[in-house]
Amino acid sequence: LILALLASAQALIPSSRAVRSGRSNVVMSAEPSRRTFLAEAAVLATTAMAPVAFADDEAPAPAAEAPVAPAAPATPAKPSYGNFEVPKEWGITGKDYYYDAQRVVDHMKYATAMEKGTSNMDSINKNMKKEMVDFVSFYRRFNNVAGKQSFSTLYTAINVLAGHYTSYGTKFPVPEKRRKRLFQEYAEIDKYIKKSR
């Protein structure tokens, strides 16, 4: 304790030297900063204050353990986008735009929601890809359809899903980040189809 007090008194004595550079004097300290000293002095003081244990003393009682909080789940649960019916009939009618658009969106929802290991994933995705191409190639020719909000949003969603098939193939599920974006677009498309836009 006495050594710590002496060291603190020594550190607080100003010892600096002036260095002449150019037009102004710069004061430089040869000692470490006061913050460093105070941190070292605190460590010395706590070690000096610690009780010394002798061989004939009783061992201190162990500290009571704090209750352990339950661990948080390692991975968050995947969001559920709903249960979708497995598509049985593929293709478009070419007669009613809104019927075909809703059918393509429903099939895209199922294809997007499929998880790894889903049976017939490859064949479903190949049929989905063909249906998307057929839909876009047929309906984009009509000016009254190509200008609709539902068509432009569906066209964007088709491009995203087709890009996934091009990059990853038809045997792999849609990644979660892309899946989330697609389901947001599907909700907009459903809204536009209900309003006949």
Side-chain angles (χ1 to χ4, degrees):
L1 183 63
I2 295 172
L3 289 174
L5 290 174
L6 288 175
S8 66
Q10 179 66 27
L12 296 175
I13 297 174
S15 80
S16 60
R17 58 188 173 103
V19 177
R20 186 164 182 85
S21 78
R23 296 183 192 163
S24 64
N25 289 336
V26 177
V27 177
M28 298 178 65
S29 174
E31 301 294 323
S33 70
R34 287 190 179 139
R35 182 177 296 174
T36 305
F37 166 74
L38 291 176
E40 291 172 356
V43 170
L44 285 173
T46 55
T47 56
M49 299 293 246
V52 179
F54 295 102
D56 57 344
D57 286 345
E58 291 182 24
E65 292 184 20
V68 178
T75 56
K78 287 188 176 183
S80 174
Y81 297 103
N83 296 324
F84 304 103
E85 190 175 318
V86 179
K88 294 178 180 114
E89 295 180 19
W90 296 95
I92 59 171
T93 62
K95 296 177 182 174
D96 182 12
Y97 164 75
Y98 292 109
Y99 174 79
D100 287 342
Q102 189 62 57
R103 185 176 190 172
V104 170
V105 170
D106 291 342
H107 292 174
M108 287 176 71
K109 285 178 184 178
Y110 181 80
T112 305
M114 287 191 299
E115 294 289 336
K116 189 173 185 176
T118 303
S119 62
N120 300 327
M121 179 182 280
D122 188 38
S123 63
I124 289 171
N125 285 338
K126 284 180 180 175
N127 287 330
M128 185 71 254
K129 188 174 182 179
K130 183 180 180 331
E131 187 175 83
M132 291 186 310
V133 169
D134 291 346
F135 178 82
V136 169
S137 63
F138 182 78
Y139 282 108
R140 77 172 159 200
R141 296 181 292 167
F142 303 108
N143 290 335
N144 62 340
V145 171
K148 293 183 181 290
Q149 290 176 322
S150 59
F151 182 80
S152 62
T153 310
L154 181 53
Y155 191 82
T156 302
I158 287 173
N159 281 335
V160 171
L161 192 56
H164 167 73
Y165 294 149
T166 302
S167 299
Y168 296 99
T170 56
K171 296 180 182 178
F172 295 98
V174 177
E176 186 59 37
K177 188 175 180 182
R178 187 172 293 146
R179 184 179 296 171
K180 182 178 177 183
R181 176 182 169 205
L182 281 169
F183 274 101
Q184 289 172 349
E185 290 184 7
Y186 298 153
E188 284 183 38
I189 296 165
D190 286 338
K191 180 178 69 173
Y192 292 143
I193 290 173
K194 286 178 185 172
K195 293 180 179 179
S196 297
R197 290 186 181 175

